[in-house]
Amino acid sequence: MSVVRGLLIVLSGPSGVGKGTVRAAVFDREDHNYVYSVSATTRQSRPGEVHGVDYHFVTHDEFKELIDQDALLEYAEYVGNFYGTPIAKIEEELAKGHDVFLEIEVQGAMKVRERMPEGVFIFLAPPNLGELENRITNRGTDSQEVIYERMQKAREEIELMKHYDYVVINDEVENAVDQINAIICSEHLKVERTIEKIQRDIHDYFQKGD
Ligand SMILES: Nc1nc2c(ncn2[C@@H]2O[C@H](COP(=O)(O)OP(=O)(O)O)[C@@H](O)[C@H]2O)c(=O)[nH]1
Ligand SMILES: Nc1ncnc2c1ncn2[C@@H]1O[C@H](COP(=O)(O)OP(=O)(O)O)[C@@H](O)[C@H]1O
């Protein structure tokens, strides 16, 4: 029997809302077949980040080469750095039946929607903007100037959340994880029901002809 293609799951949300934290908790749960799409970026690595695991940290020239080779599904500039999604691994993993998680900002997500509208687009929102600022500040990875820029960006991003299929509020990590798992489960059911319906239709059609 052929393998049912995996789901493309796109998770976006403002910097500091908790995308990385929630995604790690989603991946921590047992019995999943999720694969994380590691992006390429020109941003400097933060302490603790691992090349090839968190990001492929590349130079501007290397990033340009990826664009020229058409190796990116999408890319965007975000607060002075480039970020892009390598396409090859995504196709390979979806074909194996694995669900592929993209954690990308909104401009990139909208480009993915144009190219792969079958994706499941989830926006992770903060309970409020004051809490968002606290989270970025407490994470301790960004200067005051970068925090200011990221908060300005958050305003634009939240405006675009209406273009997503689902909005999940990250009040408590466990709640957000439960909601994301429920969304994925229901999207899988939708695909299975569609396949069953087509199979029934084929069956009925040929029975009639007998
Ligand atoms: N368009 C696009 N955005 C990405 C990609 N990888 C990461 N991002 C987004 O770029 C933004 C900045 O990422 P980062 O510097 O790691 O900051 P953080 O999200 O605050 O940890 C976040 O919204 C990421 O989700 C990518 O491949 N494409
Ligand atoms: N639900 C939550 N409640 C409180 N703090 C959170 C929650 N989710 C994430 N955080 C904290 O907020 C900060 C930013 O989270 P992170 O996962 O790095 O965000 P993002 O990947 O969206 O930039 C981290 O210090 C993280 O521990």
Side-chain angles (χ1 to χ4, degrees):
M1 218 177 98
S2 62
V3 177
V4 177
R5 206 172 143 82
L7 293 175
L8 180 77
I9 298 148
V10 179
L11 183 67
S12 298
S15 177
V17 70
K19 299 179 296 296
T21 307
V22 168
R23 190 241 316 153
V26 167
F27 274 60
D28 267 354
R29 295 208 172 164
E30 286 167 14
D31 282 354
H32 69 74
N33 72 345
Y34 306 144
V35 172
Y36 180 59
S37 159
V38 179
S39 296
T41 184
T42 58
R43 157 161 92 57
Q44 290 289 313
S45 65
R46 295 176 183 148
E49 284 184 328
V50 178
H51 178 72
V53 174
D54 299 290
Y55 280 109
H56 301 291
F57 294 100
V58 298
T59 62
H60 275 88
D61 285 348
E62 286 166 337
F63 198 90
K64 192 171 172 301
E65 232 167 81
L66 292 173
I67 298 173
D68 291 345
Q69 290 164 352
D70 232 359
L72 301 176
L73 171 64
E74 61 70 40
Y75 67 93
E77 190 179 357
Y78 183 93
V79 190
N81 292 301
F82 285 94
Y83 298 82
T85 306
I87 196 163
K89 180 146 165 91
I90 293 182
E91 282 302 334
E92 190 186 305
E93 295 294 344
L94 290 175
K96 284 188 202 160
H98 296 153
D99 295 336
V100 179
F101 254 79
L102 264 56
E103 202 184 300
I104 64 176
E105 53 67 67
V106 288
Q107 305 167 60
M110 293 304 108
K111 288 187 213 154
V112 175
R113 205 196 241 308
E114 280 167 28
R115 290 185 69 171
M116 300 177 84
E118 71 280 15
V120 180
F121 293 79
I122 305 175
F123 190 91
L124 195 64
N128 56 64
L129 285 187
E131 172 63 15
L132 180 66
E133 188 177 353
N134 288 340
R135 287 185 192 172
I136 313 183
T137 308
N138 296 340
R139 184 171 66 183
T141 52
D142 301 292
S143 63
Q144 266 311 317
E145 194 187 338
V146 171
I147 294 173
Y148 176 79
E149 282 182 274
R150 288 183 176 227
M151 287 303 295
Q152 295 300 317
K153 196 85 185 169
R155 206 166 159 186
E156 294 167 28
E157 289 168 329
I158 289 170
E159 286 286 315
L160 291 173
M161 79 183 176
K162 55 182 178 281
H163 299 300
Y164 282 72
D165 300 318
Y166 299 96
V167 175
V168 170
I169 295 178
N170 182 22
D171 46 8
E172 295 292 331
V173 174
E174 282 308 303
N175 287 345
V177 171
D178 285 345
Q179 285 185 52
I180 290 174
N181 280 326
I183 290 167
I184 297 170
C185 207
S186 128
E187 290 290 334
H188 271 291
L189 271 178
K190 260 196 229 168
V191 173
E192 280 165 28
R193 289 204 184 115
T194 308
I195 292 172
E196 275 168 22
K197 185 173 174 298
I198 292 169
Q199 282 171 340
R200 260 201 316 275
D201 183 49
I202 292 171
H203 176 264
D204 292 351
Y205 178 89
F206 284 104
Q207 283 243 312
K208 245 186 255 162
D210 284 345

